[in-house]
Amino acid sequence: MIHTEELRFSTKGEIDLVDITAEVERVVEDSEIKNGIALVFVPGATGAIVTIEHESGLLEDFKRALKELIPKGKGYLHDRIDDNAHSHLRATLLGSSECFPVVNGRLVRGTWQQIFFVELDVRPRHRRVIVQVVGE
């Protein structure tokens, strides 16, 4: 069986973190798939899917680390086009998807492992995330 749903939401722009854990868990539950895999995927070159604890200090640390690892305005060649090369580079570093086991109809994740969409583009956006559950 395959069950696919699309999550839609708006972001505030660079670096907005949107906790989508509850929505992903709902999709898994609605799928009625007992055992399999749940894929969480963002179609877009300036968004990412990560797992991280939903704790305010850690989320701020995460934002700061991204800014330090790949800072804005470092003379990136892509900035000649639309001034968001750092957004693309950060998204490439983080990745566009995560997979989770589904066991006995429930998404398997750690206690402190929440699922976040990370907006990396320089402006607010309307985003979509595809959740696909495959199994039996």
Side-chain angles (χ1 to χ4, degrees), residues 35-94:
N35 295 292
I37 298 283
L39 168 69
V40 182
F41 172 77
V42 55
T46 56
I49 301 293
V50 301
T51 60
I52 190 169
E53 180 180 351
H54 192 162
E55 188 278 317
S56 60
L58 182 59
L59 296 178
E60 288 304 314
D61 293 339
F62 177 74
K63 292 176 183 182
R64 186 171 359 136
L66 275 179
K67 291 174 184 176
E68 289 173 3
L69 284 170
I70 303 176
K72 267 185 182 180
K74 295 296 283 184
Y76 305 115
L77 298 178
H78 181 72
D79 282 344
R80 296 177 299 188
I81 297 170
D82 58 9
D83 209 31
N84 71 345
H86 65 286
S87 303
H88 289 278
L89 294 168
R90 290 172 182 171
T92 300
L93 180 70
L94 297 174

